[in-house]
Amino acid sequence: MLFPKTYTADNVSLYQLYNNKETYGKFKLNNLYFTGYTSKWLDRTRGYYYYTMFNSECVIVLLDPDTCEQGAPTIDELTVKGQILYESEAARSLLSNLARDLNWSEEGILSTVSSYTISEPDATGLVSELFEFFYVFSSIYSIISIIVYCVFIAFPVVSIPVQKTRAYGKPAEILAEAEEELATLPQLATEDMFITEHYFIETSSYGVAIVPIDAIIWIYKYSTMHKFLWHHFSITYTLYITAAKRHYIKCPKNIKSDIDGIMDYLAEANHDILVGFSEENRLKVEEIQDDFEIIRKISGFLSKRV
């Protein structure tokens, strides 16, 4: 669809292209004749039906209105981007009407005209353009992502999780210390969560995080029941961590024993950590984080203006 090959009528058949899954292409056509019929969609003329010879076969071609100048009687030569359709209902209806106009049997005209049609609107319409746009956009995004992640792999200190530690010190020093502690022997380790002497580290498919234990303010767990209809399959637990400088970490889909072990160790390592979800702890965290500072500044500014 994006980079179609160019085909001429004398070296390939629509049957071969369709069966080889090459349904899009640029077709060099000669001597096209208007059938007198148009294709409409929502009271809008979608295209004009022509017939021409393609590799010794009579083929129906649907052209965009602009391509055929709103239904020119004949077109001597034309190169058009189109999609090959097989036994199109619209084309079959067209042939039935043509047979009636020519006082010909429907079986006779169907045996004369190819079952394959070439449609320009199906290859250049809105749906095709949207597909091409998202294809190109996702390709560019993928290439940029690969380059960025390669840079992160080569230079971990510039990665987003490490740069977030800037709130607690120099990212390079924090990364070096965390790597050294993790390489020796973690104080506690689960499948994707690790506690070293000074850091909590998460390395899961849901995210990567490094946070100093002494910067953690609040920890709590949240359970999720997985069920289908009336059957309960399992319960997973998510660990939520709130650290200083509004740093929030979520570690989903863990088992209860792992979450409890992490929470107990963190609470023991830092006695200032608030443990468990409660309204009291939430209000304390808001006070510690000073979450309403911006609102108070805006209110004070507006009151001065008034």
Side-chain angles (χ1 to χ4, degrees):
M1 181 183 291
L2 292 177
F3 309 104
K5 296 180 181 179
T6 301
Y7 303 102
T8 57
D10 56 353
N11 61 2
V12 71
S13 72
L14 298 182
Y15 169 81
Q16 291 174 336
L17 294 177
Y18 188 86
N19 284 275
N20 291 334
K21 309 298 182 183
E22 298 181 20
T23 55
Y24 289 90
K26 286 185 177 179
F27 302 95
K28 290 185 176 180
L29 306 173
N30 298 307
N31 301 321
L32 293 96
Y33 301 94
F34 183 39
T35 63
Y37 287 89
T38 61
S39 173
K40 289 185 175 291
W41 187 73
L42 297 179
D43 292 331
R44 174 180 172 272
T45 301
R46 181 168 175 262
Y48 290 75
Y49 283 105
Y50 285 75
Y51 66 90
T52 185
M53 298 303 294
F54 194 94
N55 196 14
S56 303
E57 285 186 310
C58 182
V59 174
I60 298 298
V61 181
L62 179 62
L63 298 178
D64 283 339
D66 293 337
T67 302
C68 62
E69 299 179 353
Q70 309 296 328
T74 60
I75 301 175
D76 296 332
E77 189 176 6
L78 180 69
T79 299
V80 61
K81 179 183 178 181
Q83 181 183 6
I84 302 173
L85 306 177
Y86 176 65
E87 291 190 347
S88 167
E89 291 186 10
R92 188 180 182 89
S93 176
L94 165 69
L95 294 177
S96 298
N97 289 316
L98 277 176
R100 192 179 306 111
D101 293 341
L102 299 173
N103 293 322
W104 200 0
S105 67
E106 186 174 340
E107 292 77 10
I109 197 169
L110 288 175
S111 64
T112 304
V113 180
S114 174
S115 300
Y116 299 90
T117 59
I118 299 174
S119 173
E120 183 184 10
D122 284 294
T124 60
L126 178 62
V127 175
S128 299
E129 290 180 352
L130 287 175
F131 177 83
E132 292 179 10
F133 171 78
F134 285 113
Y135 185 91
V136 173
F137 176 80
S138 61
S139 298
I140 295 173
Y141 176 80
S142 299
I143 292 172
I144 294 175
S145 298
I146 291 172
I147 294 173
V148 170
Y149 292 139
C150 286
V151 172
F152 288 170
I153 292 172
F155 307 99
V157 73
V158 301
S159 64
I160 296 174
V162 177
Q163 284 300 307
K164 285 184 177 181
T165 63
R166 188 178 296 275
Y168 314 115
K170 295 182 178 180
E173 295 178 358
I174 291 176
L175 176 61
E177 185 179 21
E179 283 184 327
E180 182 180 355
E181 293 180 3
L182 189 62
T184 53
L185 185 63
Q187 306 292 327
L188 184 65
T190 66
E191 183 178 353
D192 53 17
M193 296 180 293
F194 306 89
I195 295 178
T196 65
E197 184 178 355
H198 299 99
Y199 298 96
F200 171 84
I201 302 171
E202 179 196 12
T203 57
S204 71
S205 58
Y206 302 99
V208 177
I210 303 173
V211 60
I213 295 176
D214 58 7
I216 296 177
I217 301 173
W218 185 23
I219 55 175
Y220 64 92
K221 65 183 177 184
Y222 181 85
S223 61
T224 302
M225 180 176 292
H226 302 275
K227 61 181 181 178
F228 180 74
L229 298 178
W230 55 86
H231 294 287
H232 302 286
F233 290 102
S234 62
I235 299 177
T236 60
Y237 294 83
T238 300
L239 174 64
Y240 288 88
I241 297 177
T242 300
K245 307 297 182 179
R246 294 180 176 83
H247 191 181
Y248 305 100
I249 302 170
K250 183 172 70 172
C251 310
K253 294 189 176 181
N254 285 277
I255 60 176
K256 185 176 184 297
S257 58
D258 288 347
I259 298 291
D260 289 340
I262 294 290
M263 292 179 62
D264 291 341
Y265 192 93
L266 290 176
E268 186 64 27
N270 182 358
H271 296 289
D272 294 329
I273 294 178
L274 301 173
V275 181
F277 183 86
S278 65
E279 184 65 15
E280 181 183 359
N281 285 343
R282 188 184 69 81
L283 294 175
K284 286 182 180 179
V285 171
E286 286 184 355
E287 183 179 355
I288 295 171
Q289 298 272 55
D290 204 4
D291 288 340
F292 296 103
E293 179 183 3
I294 297 177
I295 297 177
R296 285 195 294 269
K297 288 182 178 180
I298 295 174
S299 299
F301 174 77
L302 293 177
S303 60
K304 290 180 181 179
R305 297 284 293 180
V306 174

